[in-house]
Amino acid sequence: MPSFADFDRRDYRTVDVATGYDGWAPTYEQTVLDEMDLALLGRLHLDLGGVRRAADLGCGTGRTGTWLRDRGITHIDGVDASQGMLALAAERGVHTTLTRADVRDTGLREGAYDLVIASLIDEHLPELAPFYAEAWRLAAPGARCVLVSYHPQFIMVSGMPTHYTDSSGEPVAISTHLHLISEQLSAGLAAGWVLTEMAEALVDDAFLTRKPKWAALRGHPFTLATVWSRPD
């Protein structure tokens, strides 16, 4: 499989996930746009009416948790590797619990969740199988798993790692991995999940009003959403 290193055009200094998101936390809300993930979630044919408990993996500052809460889900357990991001999520107050842990080993209760959701986190995982296995462990029969990912084509064409600008003005990359769509499907299916929906977001005019420097990427896929179900 191809490696992100084969496409990296930035050659930024790279840090691990927890260090990177701790450093990014103060400016994260100003740099991550709803068009990247929440708008795509809104396009999915998700009936959330029966969701009593949700696991928000890689919950960050609580953006996804807020989206879930706004749709009537009242029990949301968040997990993140970054204490800085968890502190911001705590300020939002939308999660029932917040835990500092790896999304591949959350420590949350087995079989307790009707929905497992993660957004813009899988590019930090060297392998996808442990994430899908942990999501399966957390899921109750009939539960769904929703994953929003950076589209592999976007990563390959842009050569851009997940990154932020630190307090000194230096761009810093957070450990980034490339996963083809076939890797997503293979890992999810191997864990037992049944794929029920996919959707893609493109770099369009609305997006470019916020990120005009990306004009050369107009029309390219930017993010990908997959929806999985666990059989009853």
Side-chain angles (χ1 to χ4, degrees):
M1 290 295 180
S3 165
F4 173 70
D6 299 329
F7 301 93
D8 187 0
R9 297 181 184 174
R10 303 298 182 93
D11 197 28
Y12 295 152
R13 176 171 65 88
T14 301
V15 298
D16 64 80
V17 173
T19 300
Y21 280 96
D22 281 348
W24 194 1
T27 58
Y28 186 83
E29 294 283 347
Q30 288 75 54
T31 52
V32 175
L33 311 179
D34 289 354
E35 288 85 355
M36 294 179 173
D37 53 352
L38 301 184
L40 185 55
L41 286 175
R43 286 173 43 200
L44 298 174
H45 299 92
L46 280 175
D47 179 4
L48 300 177
V51 175
R52 297 168 293 108
R53 296 170 62 98
D56 181 10
L57 305 188
C59 64
T61 61
R63 295 173 61 256
T64 303
T66 299
W67 188 88
L68 295 172
R69 178 75 68 167
D70 289 345
R71 283 151 184 80
I73 300 174
T74 57
H75 188 111
I76 308 167
D77 293 326
V79 172
D80 203 277
S82 163
Q83 190 59 51
M85 301 295 269
L86 287 170
L88 294 175
E91 292 178 7
R92 282 183 182 250
V94 298
H95 291 91
T96 307
T97 67
L98 289 167
T99 302
R100 185 178 184 184
D102 192 300
V103 298
R104 297 161 293 186
D105 184 17
T106 65
L108 298 179
R109 186 157 63 90
E110 182 174 351
Y113 297 93
D114 308 300
L115 175 68
V116 181
I117 190 166
S119 184
L120 306 182
I121 58 98
D122 63 290
E123 80 273 15
H124 300 307
L125 305 177
E127 303 292 338
L128 295 173
F131 167 81
Y132 281 105
E134 177 67 356
W136 179 269
R137 187 187 71 81
L138 297 176
R144 283 161 295 173
C145 174
V146 179
L147 179 64
V148 178
S149 310
Y150 287 110
H151 200 289
Q153 182 179 336
F154 175 82
I155 294 176
M156 295 163 84
V157 170
S158 70
M160 185 189 308
T162 297
H163 66 281
Y164 69 101
T165 302
D166 69 12
S167 58
S168 72
E170 178 192 5
V172 179
I174 303 173
S175 179
T176 298
H177 301 274
L178 173 65
H179 299 298
L180 301 181
I181 295 175
S182 60
E183 291 180 71
Q184 297 281 1
L185 299 184
S186 295
L189 293 170
W193 292 102
V194 175
L195 183 67
T196 57
E197 186 177 2
M198 292 181 66
E200 294 163 300
L202 306 182
V203 178
D204 58 15
D205 289 341
F207 193 94
L208 291 174
T209 61
R210 305 288 299 277
K211 295 281 190 180
K213 292 181 179 180
W214 291 10
L217 297 172
R218 184 193 304 271
H220 284 275
F222 179 64
T223 48
L224 168 74
T226 50
V227 181
W228 304 85
S229 294
R230 175 168 178 156
D232 293 329

